[in-house]
Amino acid sequence: MDNDHDNSTQGQNATIYTCPMHPEVRKTEPGKCPGCGMDLIPGKKDRQHGQHEGHDMQAMSPSFAKASAGTHMDHESAMTNPQMAKKMEADMRRRFWVSLLLSIPIFLLSPVGAFVFSAIGGSAYGGKVSLPDNFPVNWILLVLTTPIVFWTGSIFITGTYYSLKAKKLNMAVLVATGVLAAYLFSVLLTLIGSQETFYEAAALLVTFVLFGHWMEMRSRKGTSESLRALFDLVPPKATVIRDGKELTIFSAEIVKNDIVVVKPGDKIPVDGEVTEGESTIDESLVTGESIPTSKAKGDKVVGGSVNITGVIKFKATKVGSETVLAQIIKMVETAQNSKAPGQRIADRWAGRLVIVAIGAGLITFFSWYFFGNVTALTALTFAISAVVIACPDALGLATPTAVAVGTGIGAKNNILIKDAATLENTSRLTAIVLDKTGTLTEGKPKVTDIVGFNGFSEQEVLIYEATVGSGSNHPISKSITDEAKTRKLVLKQGNQLASIAGFGIKGTIEGKAIFSGKEKLLQNNSINTSAGRVEIDKLLNQGKTISILSVDGKLAGVIAVADTIKTTSKKAILELKKLGLEVAIITGDNQKVAEAVGKELGIDRIFAEVLPGDKASHVKKLQDEGKFVGMVGDGINDAPALAQADIGIAIGAGTDVAIETASIVLMKSDPYDIVAAIRLSKATVTKMKQNLFWAAIYNILAIPVAAGVFYNSFGLSLRPEIAALLMSASSIIVATNAVLLKRVEKKLSI
């Protein structure tokens, strides 16, 4: 009870961080608001507590649960949760449209609007827009602008309050400064009866900024669709056996060791191990493997996959956040909410630009007022324009938008990237080390050659070898037996079959003495192998494993077995070289086998006969040569090397250890996805750089113009509303450019 009380107290008194622009956002840790790029600031203590009812989404995604918990809303989580992202986008859209509709008559009644219509109307309108005498233009502008400033634009004012309270300067301060300066000064001018006002500047600034944020939220919301698709893979209900009875329960209520019944067409609700029945399972939506796999007793099933044919029962081994599907969702969420190294640079410059903007506004005003021989109104116009144009709105969006889109594309293509730093740094790879077995090869030995000697046919050799090895679990024997089954051959009856450790198998088949295995086994039993010398040596030189057969003391044949190379491996290696990477193989197999694979794939650097514990040292060796190294593997023995590498990549189903250690997980067992991951990283980094350019260039070029530096010389200046348009255009360009990253998808597959 004491522990419960302590935990409760801790939860009640936890500091809540909020977004200054979106005070409804609440988070228990400091961070960034992905919608506006602002720092979350400490606010009130959280005194609300209670249990959130569990359901699938909460069990699978902690951030989903937070985002769904009312006042415990997390903006970052919300933007990765499709439902909450939709609500937030709808709010920003509503604010924008209200602001736009009110801004249209404001613009038409403004001096700028009157000038435009005068130019259009010409003599037909007497050179100006005609309004009734004593028409209260400024008072109408005041009425129309006020709800824009204090309702649709309230997020900036509220944000400024919390930012200043936290002694921070950010984008909200800049926007609010520009808006309130234009609005309040316009109100003063209205009260004293002046005809010159800046209502249109305040209204359009709010409208343009809201539009920029709406576009950015749309781009981020679009990246959450892959998560929604993953959520939908889990069936709402499942059938389990408890106390000998079949019960239909919510999938979230399944606990470990429950026996789950799955019928044809049903989705698998959780991860487990088949205990009864046989079936074919479509795992493509989870693992990316397009070919359905056969499942029988002892085989593993993955939550989110679809049962195609038979009825199976399986024991639940992983539920809730432990499932493969939940881990995928968690990985995508983490990546989209993480900060890339490039963003840290942008954050520093955004903070400096706040000071630059405010400083530029003050310097501009005082310079023009005291030394420019202009009115206070003109000086203020230049000052407001300078502050507005210097607003670093787009700078805070530059990398988060690209990261969100990039990780979303990766998830859609079964490339799971754990964080933004990995997404960015993968583009820096100069060398990559590939585990052979299971990565470049299938990981399962297959029969490649069958040669008969002394009158024995290929079929006879295979029947004898398969009969001898039918009772063995050795991978070579199993591959030979599987080949016989594939060819639908009828095996003979074997007697007194016995394994000879390290050499092979001996026995009797239909009264004939049989030896099968290494050449040494036959030689030890006085069997001459010279008749097959040429073929045996040829197969050994190719790096294949062989089993030699003798029947009644006579050499009968040889079967070669090899771990076959994946169909896309050669293409993947070629493309990696085109990307400028040095490619190496690392394996525990003997030198000949490794060299044979390397020769076929065009890989020159071979690390063979490497013990599991030594793989990491070979990766470090490359790092010591000054290379930025990626390591690709699929097994427990690869984990140390994955951890040592600058970028660790787990391929295929792999093992839990490999996946936990790696920075990137390729859900398909396709080596070409290594190329896809690197291309995605390079494309994302390119978009980051482009976005940073577009986010900053308008500041560099437009601040002097807005401040009136060229006014006396060339008559060149920017009114506040035009400055607002240019500032917002930068944000729109950044968001649009990030979305264009989707064009890289066509380059992610062969």
Side-chain angles (χ1 to χ4, degrees):
M1 292 298 291
D2 291 340
N3 291 339
D4 291 342
H5 177 75
D6 291 342
N7 292 337
S8 178
T9 303
Q10 185 178 358
Q12 293 176 31
N13 296 324
T15 300
I16 296 299
Y17 295 83
T18 63
C19 173
M21 287 185 60
H22 304 90
E24 73 274 12
V25 173
R26 300 169 64 84
K27 188 179 179 184
T28 57
E29 299 176 347
K32 282 280 185 184
C33 175
C36 61
M38 292 179 56
D39 291 320
L40 300 180
I41 60 175
K44 298 178 180 180
K45 303 290 185 181
D46 184 14
R47 299 192 177 276
Q48 300 188 23
H49 62 281
Q51 299 295 322
H52 309 304
E53 294 182 4
H55 50 77
D56 283 338
M57 301 304 101
Q58 291 179 347
M60 293 168 61
S61 171
S63 64
F64 189 102
K66 289 180 182 179
S68 305
T71 58
H72 295 272
M73 183 182 289
D74 180 343
H75 197 172
E76 295 184 3
S77 303
M79 291 308 296
T80 54
N81 169 25
Q83 290 181 344
M84 299 306 298
K86 185 177 181 180
K87 291 180 180 179
M88 295 181 70
E89 188 227 347
D91 176 66
M92 193 64 68
R93 182 177 67 247
R94 181 169 57 252
R95 289 175 183 266
F96 163 71
W97 281 113
V98 171
S99 186
L100 178 63
L101 291 174
L102 292 173
S103 294
I104 292 174
I106 293 172
F107 176 79
L108 296 177
L109 292 172
S110 70
V112 177
F115 175 80
V116 171
F117 276 90
S118 301
I120 295 174
S123 59
Y125 288 88
K128 62 180 181 179
V129 177
S130 298
L131 294 171
D133 293 336
N134 300 320
F135 189 80
V137 175
N138 286 347
W139 288 102
I140 293 175
L141 291 174
L142 172 61
V143 172
L144 293 173
T145 306
T146 299
I148 294 178
V149 173
F150 294 104
W151 182 63
T152 63
S154 62
I155 54 177
F156 307 114
I157 298 173
T158 307
T160 297
Y161 169 76
Y162 285 110
S163 295
L164 295 177
K165 187 177 179 181
K167 299 180 180 180
K168 288 189 174 186
L169 296 176
N170 52 32
M171 186 190 67
V173 177
L174 282 178
V175 176
T177 299
V179 171
L180 290 176
Y183 175 79
L184 294 176
F185 198 72
S186 296
V187 173
L188 178 61
L189 293 174
T190 300
L191 293 175
I192 64 176
S194 175
Q195 297 302 308
E196 182 74 24
T197 60
F198 301 100
Y199 288 116
E200 74 279 6
L204 293 178
L205 176 56
V206 172
T207 302
F208 292 145
V209 174
L210 288 175
F211 182 72
H213 284 295
W214 176 33
M215 291 296 100
E216 191 272 336
M217 282 190 175
R218 283 190 63 184
S219 70
R220 290 186 65 87
K221 185 187 74 132
T223 66
S224 68
E225 295 301 320
S226 57
L227 287 182
R228 170 49 55 195
L230 292 174
F231 285 136
D232 292 341
L233 292 180
V234 178
K237 294 184 178 181
T239 302
V240 299
I241 298 177
R242 293 178 179 175
D243 299 325
K245 298 181 180 179
E246 287 193 4
L247 302 174
T248 300
I249 63 174
F250 289 104
S251 296
E253 297 175 355
I254 298 174
V255 297
K256 284 186 179 180
N257 298 320
D258 265 345
I259 300 299
V260 184
V261 182
V262 184
K263 298 176 182 178
D266 289 349
K267 292 181 179 179
I268 308 292
V270 296
D271 297 357
E273 182 179 311
V274 177
T275 58
E276 186 179 333
E278 294 183 0
S279 184
T280 303
I281 306 291
D282 182 0
E283 298 177 334
S284 59
L285 292 177
V286 180
T287 66
E289 297 293 345
S290 58
I291 301 175
T293 55
S294 298
K295 301 290 183 181
K297 185 177 180 179
D299 291 334
K300 294 181 178 180
V301 292
V302 182
S305 55
V306 181
N307 185 30
I308 299 178
T309 54
V311 178
I312 60 170
K313 297 178 182 179
F314 70 89
K315 180 174 68 175
T317 55
K318 293 181 179 180
V319 299
S321 61
E322 297 176 342
T323 65
V324 170
L325 189 59
Q327 292 301 311
I328 293 173
I329 293 170
K330 180 182 178 183
M331 195 177 299
V332 176
E333 286 183 328
T334 301
Q336 292 189 343
N337 293 328
S338 61
K339 184 181 295 185
Q343 181 61 29
R344 299 187 181 96
I345 300 173
D347 291 343
R348 289 197 296 270
W349 277 104
R352 293 168 185 171
L353 278 175
V354 172
I355 300 173
V356 170
I358 296 175
L362 293 173
I363 293 172
T364 299
F365 176 80
F366 289 114
S367 296
W368 277 106
Y369 185 73
F370 290 108
F371 307 107
N373 195 27
V374 299
T375 64
L377 181 63
T378 302
L380 185 63
T381 301
F382 285 131
I384 293 174
S385 297
V387 172
V388 169
I389 201 69
C391 182
D393 186 17
L395 200 59
L397 310 178
T399 63
T401 51
V403 168
V405 175
T407 53
I409 292 171
K412 183 179 177 181
N413 290 274
N414 302 106
I415 302 169
L416 306 181
I417 302 167
K418 287 190 174 182
D419 52 51
T422 297
L423 180 62
E424 182 174 339
N425 288 332
T426 300
S427 66
R428 298 170 52 202
L429 288 175
T430 57
I432 193 156
V433 182
L434 304 165
D435 172 57
K436 180 184 73 69
T437 307
T439 301
L440 295 173
T441 66
E442 296 292 349
K444 298 178 181 178
K446 292 183 178 180
V447 174
T448 60
D449 303 87
I450 304 174
V451 182
F453 305 121
N454 295 319
F456 285 88
S457 67
E458 286 188 15
Q459 183 170 302
E460 288 177 310
V461 173
L462 181 57
I463 291 173
Y464 276 114
E465 285 274 15
T467 302
V468 171
S470 60
S472 174
N473 291 321
H474 193 281
I476 295 175
S477 296
K478 194 172 186 306
S479 66
I480 293 173
T481 304
D482 290 342
E483 181 67 19
K485 289 181 179 178
T486 302
R487 299 190 184 192
K488 298 180 179 179
L489 300 179
V490 180
L491 303 187
K492 300 177 180 294
Q493 184 65 43
N495 298 310
Q496 299 177 336
L497 300 177
S499 176
I500 304 172
F503 290 94
I505 303 173
K506 68 176 183 178
T508 303
I509 297 177
E510 297 179 345
K512 299 176 181 178
I514 305 294
F515 288 95
S516 172
K518 293 183 177 180
E519 186 174 11
K520 188 70 173 175
L521 173 64
L522 275 67
Q523 291 174 348
N524 289 343
N525 288 274
S526 303
I527 298 170
N528 188 359
T529 59
S530 59
R533 184 80 274 141
V534 175
E535 289 293 335
I536 292 172
D537 289 344
K538 177 184 175 182
L539 295 172
L540 289 173
N541 289 330
Q542 291 174 353
K544 297 176 180 178
T545 302
I546 62 172
S547 177
I548 305 175
L549 173 72
S550 71
V551 179
D552 266 351
K554 185 185 294 185
L555 180 66
V558 60
I559 292 182
V561 175
D563 188 4
T564 56
I565 295 173
K566 293 179 178 178
T567 55
T568 57
S569 291
K570 194 168 186 176
K571 179 67 173 176
I573 300 302
L574 180 63
E575 293 300 320
L576 287 171
K577 287 185 174 182
K578 287 182 179 179
L579 290 170
L581 276 72
E582 179 181 348
V583 184
I585 291 178
I586 192 166
T587 179
D589 282 347
N590 65 68
Q591 190 72 31
K592 280 189 176 182
V593 172
E595 288 177 352
V597 173
K599 183 178 180 180
E600 184 170 350
L601 295 177
I603 301 174
D604 299 322
R605 197 157 188 179
I606 310 293
F607 301 127
E609 301 177 21
V610 180
L611 297 174
D614 294 333
K615 286 188 176 183
S617 63
H618 284 78
V619 172
K620 190 175 186 305
K621 179 181 178 182
L622 290 174
Q623 291 172 323
D624 292 340
E625 295 175 5
K627 297 179 174 64
F628 197 77
V629 183
M631 169 68 195
V632 186
D634 70 332
I636 294 175
N637 63 329
D638 298 319
L642 291 171
Q644 175 65 45
D646 297 292
I647 302 292
I649 304 173
I651 187 170
T655 66
D656 292 340
V657 175
I659 291 174
E660 285 296 324
T661 309
S663 302
I664 298 175
V665 177
L666 309 177
M667 295 301 294
K668 295 189 292 183
S669 296
D670 187 352
Y672 196 82
D673 282 349
I674 304 168
V675 179
I678 296 173
R679 282 180 175 167
L680 178 61
S681 174
K682 289 181 177 293
T684 303
V685 170
T686 298
K687 288 299 179 186
M688 288 181 183
K689 293 177 179 179
Q690 291 173 352
N691 282 355
L692 288 172
F693 171 81
W694 286 111
I697 191 66
Y698 77 98
N699 291 103
I700 298 171
L701 299 179
I703 288 178
V705 179
V709 173
F710 306 106
Y711 181 69
N712 288 334
S713 301
F714 306 101
L716 186 61
S717 65
L718 291 175
R719 283 189 61 86
E721 59 269 28
I722 304 301
L725 175 61
L726 292 175
M727 182 274 296
S728 184
S730 177
S731 297
I732 296 168
I733 290 172
V734 165
T736 304
N737 190 47
V739 174
L740 292 177
L741 181 60
K742 292 181 179 181
R743 293 187 297 183
V744 78
E745 280 196 79
K746 60 184 179 183
K747 298 181 180 180
L748 302 184
S749 58
I750 297 178

